[in-house]
């Protein structure tokens, strides 16, 4: 078990964003956190990277309460939904910057540049990059960090079909390397078949979790249903 | 590791280079201003020596200015300690983040110490031991203000209320006539702020990140002189800002709905506009009531300082009037385009005149206090100005050629009656 979310509740000043949310992510698996806009996906991820702290409940990483883990030992890497860069540094300078922060990571700059096809963009500043290339650079920078859990918020935004294939391959490589992946998305067709398990959120509550087949069985749904159909049916029932 | 710090420094240098490239005339102006004020300060020290206490007229305004500054930090709800959003994202899960934050705390202390040194010098005339005493007191006050604002920014309900109390206690302490009471108020507030900082469980990094991200983006647009993007970002931020006071929180009924709407729209005016208007008022007060600008051509000459001062004050009045005029025109246009309002045009105009008159009353009282105006003349000014303001609002509605010509006369009249403030 790498990540355990235990009865986490959290409110923004006027909204209950997470209501008693519990789930877990294990090593060597890809978990999809799915839900509509405003379901609480990003809030959940922000708790995992410790940008937010629960009003109640607990989050553990490798069995340790995440508030007790020192920053330098916090082995989580995060890809936010909006790329973030130093606007005056080039793509290559960003890669060197993060590599300098994590010199022990065995991933080399060359390999990551080749894999994400960043060669033609290395001398450009972020404002000169397309949305897809920015996203690829964010992925490259996330992979240069030290991590056992990769957390990605809407990672497919802006990627073209070729880039999506490459990114999916990166995620399956993480699984093979016994790392854990938690990705949030509302593009359900994109993650169907990629994720081992799903956590379905609706208005801050978990409405179902498990493999697609488990969920279909548990809620007595049509066995031929797509992930999208499963999710929409469960949301309708939750209402 | 050093490579990472070098990269951050490189980013900052390139940003600064972009700013200098596009805005060098503004920076040159600021530099000249600093040189001028510095030379005045040095001249003041030279003339006064370290033993003779000066009693310039502007001394009471300085603590008031510092109180306003700390209040702005507290209410502004923008992060008082800033790093790049990218620094937060890439360094937060490393050991360097705490070090960078600590450096930022120290840098903020140094900046506030410098501000306290100048303020203490102006208040005490660099006379010992008052100079040292005031430097310590003002450093504590300003830095505790930074910490309170930081705590309020990251905190929730109760914590925010406590920081407000700390601010009020410190500010009251600063205004005390007795040095012991001053230190008790400010020192107590500082200790409370430091204790709360020590006990602060978590920073609200999600909010901090969002704000830093927006500020960084804006800075990048400024540095590249991309005005369109700057305006776009600012407009988006203003549109998405959380509104605390909503129309339905007020006791609405059919007769006061429009009046209350105009109140709320005025409250929501871009804070930068208020800052500019308050700065104009303070500048005109300093110009009229102090000898701070003595020696500068035009501004330093009392014969020209008075009309300039009046002109600046009337600019503030004119801008307030303009704000309300625009609101009223928008409302009337909407009505013309089909928005159903269960009232006649004259009732709409009256609502804006009523609110405008109230605003003008508040402004006139403030101006009267700042400029130490004669109460009778001030009252006469208010009555005349309100009448002209109401007439002008009617002219806006019936905007034909004759009315527009009349508005020009009204503007001249408004400036002329402004001299009643200094009569």
């Amino acid at each position: 078990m790498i990540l355990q979310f235990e009865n986490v509740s959290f409110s923004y000043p006027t909204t209950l964003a997470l209501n008693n949310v519990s789930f877990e992510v294990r090593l060597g698996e890809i978990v999809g956190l799915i839900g509509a806009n405003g379901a609480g996906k990003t809030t959940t991820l922000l708790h995992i990277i410790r940008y937010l702290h629960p009003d109640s409940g607990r989050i553990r990483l490798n069995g340790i309460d995440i508030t007790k883990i020192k920053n330098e030992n916090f082995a989580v890497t995060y890809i936010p939904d909006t790329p973030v860069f130093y606007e005056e540094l080039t793509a290559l300078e960003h890669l060197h910057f993060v590599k300098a922060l994590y010199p022990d990571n065995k991933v080399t700059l060359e390999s990551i540049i080749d894999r994400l096809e960043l060669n033609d963009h290395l001398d450009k500043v972020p404002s000169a990059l397309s949305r897809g290339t920015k996203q690829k650079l964010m992925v490259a920078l996330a992979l240069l960090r030290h991590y056992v859990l990769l957390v990605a918020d809407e990672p497919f935004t802006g990627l073209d079909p070729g880039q999506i294939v490459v990114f999916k391959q990166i995620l399956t490589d993480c699984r093979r390397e016994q790392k854990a992946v938690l990705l949030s998305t509302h593009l359900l067709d994109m993650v169907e078949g990629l994720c081992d398990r799903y956590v379905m959120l609706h208005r801050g509550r978990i409405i179902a979790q498990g493999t697609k087949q488990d969920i279909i069985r548990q809620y007595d749904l049509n066995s031929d249903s797509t992930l999208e159909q499963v999710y929409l049916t469960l949301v309708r029932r939750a209402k | 590791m050093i490579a990472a710090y070098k990269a951050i420094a490189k980013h900052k240098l390139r940003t600064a280079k972009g700013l200098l490239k596009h805005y060098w005339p503004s920076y040159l102006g600021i530099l000249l201003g600093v040189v001028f004020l510095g030379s005045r300060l040095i001249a003041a020290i030279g003339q006064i020596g370290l033993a003779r206490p000066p009693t310039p007229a502007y001394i009471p305004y300085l603590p008031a200015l510092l109180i306003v500054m700390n209040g702005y930090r507290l209410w502004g709800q923008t992060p008082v300690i800033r790093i790049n959003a990218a620094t937060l994202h890439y360094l937060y899960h490393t050991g360097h983040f705490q070090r960078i934050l600590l450096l930022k705390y120290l840098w903020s202390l140094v900046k506030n110490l410098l501000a306290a040194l100048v303020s203490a010098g102006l208040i005490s005339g660099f006379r010992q031991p008052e100079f040292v005493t005031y430097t310590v007191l003002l450093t504590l006050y300003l830095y505790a203000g930074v910490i309170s604002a930081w705590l309020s920014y990251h905190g929730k309900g109760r914590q925010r209320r406590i920081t407000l109390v700390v601010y009020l206690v410190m500010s009251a302490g600063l205004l005390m006539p007795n040095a012991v009471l001053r230190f008790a108020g400010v020192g107590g507030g500082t200790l409370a702020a430091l204790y709360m900082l020590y006990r602060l469980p978590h920073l609200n990094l999600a909010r901090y990140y969002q704000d830093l991200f927006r500020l960084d983006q804006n800075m990048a647009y400024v540095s590249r002189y991309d005005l369109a993007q700057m305006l776009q970002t600012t407009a988006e931020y203003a549109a998405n800002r959380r509104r605390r006071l909503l129309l339905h929180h007020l006791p609405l009924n059919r007769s006061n709905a429009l009046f209350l709407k105009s109140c709320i729209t005025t409250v929501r005016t871009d804070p930068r506009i208020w800052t500019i208007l308050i700065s104009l008022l303070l500048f005109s007060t300093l110009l009229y009531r102090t000898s701070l600008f003595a020696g500068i051509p035009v501004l330093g000459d009392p014969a020209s300082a008075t009309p300039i001062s009046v002109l600046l004050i009337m600019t503030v009045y004119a801008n307030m009037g303009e704000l309300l005029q625009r609101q009223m025109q928008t409302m009337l246009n909407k009505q013309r385009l089909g928005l159903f309002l269960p009232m006649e045009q004259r009732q709409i105009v009256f609502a804006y005149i009523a609110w405008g008159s109230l605003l003008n009353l508040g402004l006139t009282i403030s101006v009267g206090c700042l400029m130490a105006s004669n109460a009778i003349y001030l009252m006469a000014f208010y009555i005349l100005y309100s009448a002209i303001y109401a007439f002008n609002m009617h002219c806006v509605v019936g905007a034909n050629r004759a009315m527009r010509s009349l508005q020009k006369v009204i503007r001249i009249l408004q400036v002329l009656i402004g001299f009643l403030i200094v009569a």
Side-chain angles (χ1 to χ4, degrees):
Chain A
M1 200 89 59
I2 178 86
L3 177 78
Q4 288 166 285
F5 231 70
E6 296 171 2
N7 306 317
V8 171
S9 294
F10 177 80
S11 295
Y12 290 111
T14 54
T15 332
L16 177 63
L18 297 179
N19 186 1
N20 215 23
V21 170
S22 298
F23 68 91
E24 55 195 39
V25 182
R26 302 178 198 115
L27 284 176
E29 74 171 359
I30 302 173
V31 175
L33 188 62
I34 58 182
N37 292 330
K41 303 187 299 289
T42 300
T43 304
T44 304
L45 301 191
L46 290 176
H47 275 83
I48 296 168
I49 60 161
R50 302 195 299 194
Y51 275 21
L52 289 175
H53 299 273
D55 295 335
S56 63
R58 196 188 294 201
I59 306 163
R60 294 173 198 260
L61 194 68
N62 278 329
I64 305 168
D65 188 326
I66 60 165
T67 56
K68 305 272 191 304
I69 303 173
K70 279 187 172 178
N71 276 345
E72 46 270 50
N73 299 331
F74 195 70
V76 176
T77 193
Y78 173 57
I79 304 170
D81 57 345
T82 312
V84 56
F85 302 109
Y86 291 102
E87 287 295 332
E88 299 295 338
L89 295 185
T90 63
L92 185 61
E93 283 170 331
H94 274 91
L95 291 164
H96 278 293
F97 168 69
V98 177
K99 183 69 187 161
L101 289 169
Y102 301 92
D104 298 337
N105 191 336
K106 290 189 181 103
V107 178
T108 62
L109 285 187
E110 293 73 24
S111 66
I112 211 124
I113 289 168
D114 283 344
R115 183 155 197 197
L116 286 156
E117 297 166 353
L118 286 166
N119 276 304
D120 295 339
H121 309 287
L122 294 175
D123 293 331
K124 294 178 186 166
V125 289
S127 58
L129 300 175
S130 68
R131 177 69 172 90
T133 311
K134 278 184 189 174
Q135 190 66 5
K136 282 200 292 183
L137 182 57
M138 276 314 290
V139 173
L141 294 169
L143 296 178
L144 284 173
R145 297 166 85 161
H146 163 63
Y147 68 97
V148 286
L149 171 65
L150 187 150
V151 176
D153 193 359
E154 303 288 357
F156 302 107
T157 313
L159 296 180
D160 64 33
Q163 293 162 347
I164 288 171
V165 170
V166 172
F167 185 61
K168 282 184 174 178
Q169 188 57 48
I170 287 171
L171 295 181
T172 45
D173 286 351
C174 284
R175 175 164 54 198
R176 207 184 51 237
E177 291 162 14
Q178 284 301 299
K179 287 175 176 170
V181 176
L182 175 66
L183 55 96
S184 93
T185 185
H186 58 262
L187 306 172
L188 305 191
D189 52 337
M190 207 70 87
V191 288
E192 184 158 15
L194 172 71
C195 296
D196 301 299
R197 289 190 302 115
Y198 302 94
V199 176
M200 298 183 176
L201 273 173
H202 177 64
R203 292 185 182 169
R205 274 189 317 113
I206 291 182
I207 51 172
Q209 61 177 311
T211 63
K212 187 180 145 192
Q213 290 314 315
D214 283 346
I215 295 171
I216 286 174
R217 217 173 302 125
Q218 194 181 346
Y219 293 93
D220 199 20
L221 303 170
N222 186 343
S223 59
D224 297 333
S225 303
T226 62
L227 186 64
E228 197 171 71
Q229 287 165 335
V230 169
Y231 174 74
L232 290 175
T233 310
L234 291 176
V235 166
R236 262 198 303 276
R237 286 188 192 177
K239 281 176 184 169
Chain B
M1 179 38 48
I2 289 173
Y5 287 103
K6 269 187 189 167
I8 297 175
K10 204 185 275 183
H11 163 73
K12 290 204 177 294
L13 283 173
R14 286 177 188 169
T15 307
K17 192 178 152 195
L19 290 173
L20 273 177
K21 184 179 163 191
H22 297 298
Y23 306 95
W24 65 267
S26 312
Y27 287 115
L28 191 63
I30 292 169
L31 187 67
L32 288 175
V34 169
V35 168
F36 168 74
L37 283 177
S39 66
R40 296 283 305 154
L41 210 61
I42 291 165
I45 300 166
Q47 282 164 13
I48 291 159
L50 293 178
R52 274 186 298 152
T55 51
Y58 56 82
I59 282 179
Y61 297 116
L62 278 168
L65 197 68
L66 299 180
I67 289 171
V68 171
M69 199 164 100
N70 265 3
Y72 181 75
R73 284 167 168 170
L74 198 64
W75 269 283
Q77 290 295 311
T78 50
V80 281
I81 290 175
R82 290 179 191 175
I83 54 175
N84 290 109
T87 302
L88 175 58
H89 178 76
Y90 294 109
L91 297 185
Y92 179 52
H93 295 134
T94 69
H96 305 286
F97 182 72
Q98 292 297 337
R99 254 169 268 159
I100 286 178
L101 211 54
L102 187 65
L103 280 176
K104 285 283 175 183
Y105 284 137
L106 290 175
W107 177 232
S108 173
L109 178 63
V110 170
K111 283 193 289 187
N112 283 289
L113 175 66
L114 288 175
L117 273 171
V118 175
S119 310
L122 290 173
I123 291 172
S124 68
F126 296 91
R127 179 171 58 106
Q128 298 291 7
E130 282 87 343
F131 175 55
V132 175
T133 314
Y134 265 108
T135 303
V136 174
L137 185 80
L138 296 182
T139 305
L140 287 179
Y141 180 75
L142 289 174
Y143 197 56
V146 170
I147 294 172
S148 300
W150 182 242
L151 291 165
S152 172
Y153 177 81
H154 289 288
K156 282 187 176 177
R158 185 167 166 266
Q159 194 167 21
R160 281 196 187 174
R161 285 193 290 277
I162 295 174
T163 53
L164 180 63
V165 172
V166 167
Y167 164 73
L168 291 174
V169 168
M170 285 194 311
S171 303
L174 193 66
L175 294 175
M176 288 290 151
N178 180 303
V180 176
L181 289 175
R182 274 201 294 268
F183 266 96
V186 174
T190 310
L191 284 177
L194 285 171
Y195 177 72
M196 279 158 58
L197 182 67
Y198 173 70
R199 293 292 303 265
L200 181 70
H202 310 291
L203 299 179
N204 184 348
L205 291 176
R207 180 187 185 193
Y208 190 42
Y209 177 79
Q210 288 297 329
D211 282 343
L212 293 177
F213 190 82
R214 179 180 54 79
L215 290 166
D216 278 4
Q217 265 194 332
N218 229 4
M219 180 53 81
Y221 298 143
V222 172
S223 168
R224 278 184 236 129
Y225 202 57
D226 191 342
L227 290 175
Q229 284 282 18
M230 268 165 63
L231 291 173
Q232 172 76 10
T233 317
T234 312
E236 275 172 21
Y237 174 69
N240 291 323
R241 214 172 38 187
R242 195 162 66 88
R243 316 287 187 194
R244 285 191 186 86
L245 180 66
L246 299 171
L247 197 54
H248 60 267
H249 292 161
L250 303 170
L252 275 176
N253 60 45
R254 190 175 158 164
S255 59
N256 70 10
L258 208 55
F259 174 80
L260 292 177
K261 191 210 169 281
S262 61
C263 298
I264 221 161
T265 314
T266 311
V267 170
R268 286 177 186 174
T269 304
D270 190 338
R272 284 173 305 178
I273 292 178
W274 293 123
T275 310
I276 291 169
L277 296 184
I278 291 168
S279 306
L280 280 178
L281 274 185
L282 292 176
F283 182 69
S284 61
T285 309
L286 289 175
L287 198 60
Y288 177 65
R289 293 195 65 189
T290 72
S291 53
L292 192 67
F293 300 95
I296 308 180
V298 186
L299 289 182
D301 180 2
S304 51
T306 305
I308 293 172
S309 196
V310 170
L311 209 62
L312 289 175
I313 290 172
M314 293 321 291
T315 307
V316 175
Y317 274 95
N319 275 290
M320 294 262 284
E322 186 80 15
L323 279 177
L324 294 173
Q325 192 180 307
R326 263 193 229 151
Q327 281 181 33
M328 186 183 74
Q329 277 175 317
T330 310
M331 188 56 74
L332 290 173
N333 278 339
K334 281 180 183 170
Q335 193 190 34
R336 225 168 283 143
L337 293 171
L339 174 71
F340 174 71
L341 290 171
M343 54 185 75
E344 292 173 25
Q345 182 175 292
R346 66 179 175 79
Q347 286 173 296
I348 297 175
V349 176
F350 179 76
Y352 283 95
I353 289 175
W355 170 236
S357 301
L358 258 181
L359 266 184
N360 287 334
L361 179 66
L363 180 61
T364 305
I365 292 169
S366 313
V367 167
C369 293
L370 284 172
M371 306 289 279
S373 307
N374 178 303
I376 305 287
Y377 285 124
L378 198 66
M379 205 184 295
F381 164 79
Y382 175 68
I383 293 167
L384 279 172
Y385 187 83
S386 296
I388 293 174
Y389 166 76
F391 185 66
N392 186 41
M393 291 297 252
H394 279 293
C395 286
V396 172
V397 181
N400 57 36
R401 207 168 170 179
M403 289 288 201
R404 275 200 295 273
S405 312
L406 207 56
Q407 273 185 299
K408 282 176 192 155
V409 180
I410 287 171
R411 276 186 199 132
I412 296 168
L413 258 178
Q414 280 178 329
V415 174
L416 287 178
I417 62 163
F419 281 90
L420 285 171
I421 295 169
V422 291

